[in-house]
Amino acid sequence: MAMNYSEAVMDHFTNPRNVGEIEGASGCGTVGNAVCGDIMRIYLDIDDDSVIRDAKFKTFGCGAAIATSSMATELVKGKTVQQALEVTNKAVMEALDGLPPVKVHCSLLAEEAIHAALWDYAEKHNLVIEGLEKPVSDIGEHDHHHGVELVEDADDL
């Protein structure tokens, strides 16, 4: 099945930004999707003012998973922890000029990996981040029923 990827998706897949890991990261989150086999890990370096100085990722997965990881790290760099929490899968998809409906789950992985890294940061520093829920390690376990809504929304991008 041929998929039409935007130029932005292809650019972030062929030239991913922020690949790697951060030694002694302030927060690190790993999530996956058992159905497709994608695994995404995001590292955050957060300063004393709760601003994300750096973000890196390691992703094992398809081109869309790599592209969404790359874009997600770009979107959170320079933001406060609270602003990073507001980076949704829809924001990642919009920044990439859309994803094919069967790849929307990759943007969910990116959102959940950011949340997992923020959760790790909060736990390490004994913080409560307003609005942050404990992340799931497999987005297939997510109980928000995003899938159906998001596939419908994906056509609007």
Side-chain angles (χ1 to χ4, degrees), residues 52-114:
I52 299 170
R53 284 187 292 224
D54 198 9
K56 296 210 178 291
F57 78 91
K58 283 190 164 183
T59 294
F60 177 83
C62 65
I66 291 166
T68 56
S69 302
S70 174
M71 182 55 79
T73 56
E74 285 288 280
L75 291 174
V76 299
K77 280 168 59 170
K79 294 210 171 17
T80 65
V81 165
Q82 202 61 48
Q83 290 168 328
L85 184 58
E86 296 167 13
V87 174
T88 63
N89 71 297
K90 189 167 182 174
V92 172
M93 286 194 301
E94 286 173 355
L96 288 169
D97 299 326
L99 286 171
V102 296
K103 294 298 182 176
V104 169
H105 69 276
C106 295
S107 65
L108 280 170
L109 267 178
E111 176 184 336
E112 203 63 25
I114 292 167

Side-chain angles (χ1 to χ4, degrees), residues 17-22 41-45 54-58 69 73 77:
R17 284 63 150 181
N18 311 308
V19 175
E21 42 188 290
I22 297 173
R41 177 174 290 159
I42 289 186
Y43 302 84
L44 301 175
D45 178 21
D54 198 9
K56 296 210 178 291
F57 78 91
K58 283 190 164 183
S69 302
T73 56
K77 280 168 59 170

Side-chain angles (χ1 to χ4, degrees), residues 1-10 64 96-103 154 157:
M1 160 170 71
M3 290 203 214
N4 293 325
Y5 288 110
S6 68
E7 284 184 35
V9 170
M10 292 306 297
L96 288 169
D97 299 326
L99 286 171
V102 296
K103 294 298 182 176
L157 294 176

